[in-house]
Amino acid sequence: MPFAHQEPLALPVRAECDVRLERTCAAYRRSEDDRLCTGRWHQAVMRSLLTLKLLVFARRSRSR
């Protein structure tokens, strides 16, 4: 993850960004497939769930 506070800024290469994006999209698709909400409010419910998921996101620390 790129960040810089008195540290060099290290950005991932394009290929790594593409892989991360694909993994994220696949995870969200699987998550959506697990939901039972169908019909008129499906899209609104899915957007709300995604919003809540993003609000509570916390990166897992990696062992070094």
Side-chain angles (χ1 to χ4, degrees), residues 33-49:
D33 291 343
D34 293 342
R35 305 294 171 230
L36 298 176
C37 179
T38 59
R40 180 178 179 183
W41 299 106
H42 177 75
Q43 289 296 327
V45 169
M46 295 314 299
R47 281 193 306 270
S48 296
L49 288 172

Side-chain angles (χ1 to χ4, degrees), residues 4-61:
H5 177 70
Q6 299 177 350
E7 297 288 332
L9 182 61
L11 299 173
V13 295
R14 172 69 188 253
E16 185 178 346
C17 291
D18 290 342
V19 168
R20 289 179 184 184
L21 179 59
E22 284 302 317
R23 286 181 186 162
T24 300
C25 291
Y28 287 144
R29 281 189 219 102
R30 283 191 307 274
S31 177
E32 184 173 345
D33 291 343
D34 293 342
R35 305 294 171 230
L36 298 176
C37 179
T38 59
R40 180 178 179 183
W41 299 106
H42 177 75
Q43 289 296 327
V45 169
M46 295 314 299
R47 281 193 306 270
S48 296
L49 288 172
L50 177 57
T51 301
L52 289 171
K53 188 173 190 170
L54 292 171
L55 287 171
V56 299
F57 173 80
R59 178 177 281 287
R60 287 184 253 161
S61 62

